[in-house]
Amino acid sequence: ALALNAEATRLLIGAPAAAFDGTRIELLSIEPADPAAMRALPALLSLPAAWRPGDAAAVLLVDPPGAYALRDHLLGALLDRGTAVLELDANTARGFSAEADRNPPPPTAESLLADLAMGAEAFRHYGAGLVVALGHGLGGEAVLLAAARGQDFAAHAALGPGEPRFLAG
């Protein structure tokens, strides 16, 4: 656990701009398992140039969206190390919009479990090897709940707010 904490801290320190060189970015539309979802789950897949089936991958769920600096550093560091990253949006699949007059109930850690599972499943189609789940805010709560429920990730990390927490898969 100490080694995992040290590596996560090292990842968060900074990300070189080279991380995005040659990275293929795809917008995925994943069909939801949740019947209450209003549309397919949007996801942004970033595949480093050297990434191959069997390599490591990470599902990233950062919410609230105001944690951009953390997200940017983490994304860059993962890509720089050859890890494919699938970014999920906690709100879009449920039709939530800050500009809408009416919105469905906001997502909960429980409702995001299906999103995390769909992210892991999407990586299975790409042939990913080790897949980890990383979250912040509500996303971090969902990642810890996924660990408690035994979802299929090699490791789970809730990166705040507060002290980061790491759990093996």
Side-chain angles (χ1 to χ4, degrees):
L2 184 57
L4 184 59
N5 285 341
E7 177 63 12
T9 302
R10 190 170 63 79
L11 287 174
L12 295 175
I13 290 173
F20 297 97
D21 288 348
T23 297
R24 187 175 86 215
I25 299 173
E26 297 178 21
L27 179 61
L28 300 183
S29 185
I30 303 169
E31 287 305 312
D34 180 1
M38 297 178 73
R39 59 182 63 98
L41 179 67
L44 191 62
L45 176 66
S46 298
L47 294 169
W51 190 89
R52 301 289 178 260
D55 288 348
V59 176
L60 182 60
L61 180 56
V62 175
D63 188 74
Y68 294 121
L70 171 67
R71 176 217 159 263
D72 292 347
H73 285 295
L74 186 56
L75 177 63
L78 289 165
L79 293 174
D80 189 51
R81 286 158 182 82
T83 303
V85 179
L86 183 71
E87 296 177 76
L88 300 177
D89 185 317
N91 294 298
T92 304
R94 286 159 193 82
F96 181 83
S97 168
E99 298 165 1
D101 292 335
R102 291 184 292 164
N103 280 304
T108 63
E110 181 78 31
S111 70
L112 292 173
L113 285 176
D115 296 3
L116 289 169
M118 288 187 298
E121 183 62 29
F123 270 131
R124 282 188 199 90
H125 292 291
Y126 280 85
L130 176 91
V131 180
V132 299
L134 308 167
H136 179 273
L138 184 59
E141 291 176 33
V143 165
L144 292 177
L145 187 56
R149 301 268 175 92
Q151 270 194 6
D152 192 20
F153 291 101
H156 305 78
L159 303 172
E163 289 295 315
R165 292 174 283 168
F166 305 92
L167 298 168

